[in-house]
Amino acid sequence: MALRIPYTGVPEIGQELNPRPRYVVDVTSQHFGWAVGQALGGLGAQLSKSGDELFARGMAMQEVQNQIDAQEADTKYTETAGLLHANYNALQGADRVRAFPGYMTDLKKAREDIGKTMANPEAKKYFDQSTRSTLNHSIFNAAGAAATAQRQAVQSAAVSQ
C-alpha cells in the first residue's frame, strides 16, 4: 500500500498574533559580574579612604617631628646665645662697646648655622619663629649694656683726668 499525503491546496493555518514562539532569555546583570564589579568598586573606595587617612597620619607625625626638631635646635641656640652673652657681659667699659657689633654678628651666625641643620623647610620655619625673640632680646639687652658701659667709660675717663 502506498502512503497517502494529505494535500488540499489551501493553507490550514491562519494568521496568528504570535506567529512564531519567542525565546526570551532571563539574564540579569548579576550573570555578567555586576555584583563583583560593585564589590570591587566599594573596595577601591575604601582603599582610597584608607590611603587618605594614612597620608594624614603621616603628615601629622612629620609635623610633630618638625616641632620636636625645632625645639631641640632652639635649646641649642639658647645655650650658644647664653655663652656668647656671658662672654660679652664679662667685658667692661670701652671693651664692651667695641665688642657689641661682633656680638650681634656672632648671635646671628650661630642662629644661621644651627638653622642650616634643620631637616626640612617646615622645621626651619618653626626654628626661625622660636629663636627670633631670643635673638632680638639678646641684642636689645646687649645694646643697653653697651650704652651703660659707654657711659661708665666716659665717667671713668672724666674722673681720671
Side-chain angles (χ1 to χ4, degrees):
M1 170 149 146
L3 284 175
R4 192 168 179 250
I5 299 176
Y7 177 75
T8 62
V10 179
E12 295 178 8
I13 298 176
Q15 191 175 7
E16 294 180 19
L17 291 176
N18 239 348
R20 280 181 275 146
R22 296 187 107 173
Y23 180 73
V24 178
V25 180
D26 187 21
V27 178
T28 63
S29 57
Q30 283 81 5
H31 290 106
F32 290 99
W34 176 84
V36 174
Q38 288 293 337
L40 289 175
L43 176 64
Q46 188 59 44
L47 286 174
S48 178
K49 287 179 188 176
S50 298
D52 292 344
E53 182 65 25
L54 286 172
F55 179 77
R57 296 288 178 190
M59 290 297 289
M61 289 173 62
Q62 184 61 51
E63 180 75 15
V64 169
Q65 188 61 50
N66 289 342
Q67 291 175 357
I68 290 169
D69 292 347
Q71 288 171 356
E72 289 174 358
D74 184 7
T75 300
K76 184 176 180 181
Y77 176 67
T78 301
E79 291 169 355
T80 303
L83 289 172
L84 291 170
H85 197 70
N87 292 336
Y88 176 74
N89 279 338
L91 300 173
Q92 297 203 1
D95 292 338
R96 184 182 285 179
V97 175
R98 282 189 297 273
F100 180 65
Y103 170 71
M104 285 192 305
T105 301
D106 291 345
L107 280 174
K108 291 175 185 177
K109 184 172 181 338
R111 183 171 180 250
E112 184 180 314
D113 290 346
I114 293 170
K116 287 178 183 177
T117 67
M118 302 310 300
N120 58 59
E122 192 69 19
K124 183 164 183 342
K125 181 181 85 170
Y126 290 136
F127 171 77
D128 288 343
Q129 289 172 347
S130 66
T131 58
R132 188 173 293 119
S133 65
T134 302
L135 174 67
N136 293 339
H137 286 104
S138 297
I139 290 173
F140 186 80
N141 288 338
T148 301
Q150 178 68 31
R151 188 173 53 247
Q152 289 171 346
V154 169
Q155 287 173 353
S156 274
V159 167
S160 55
Q161 283 180 346

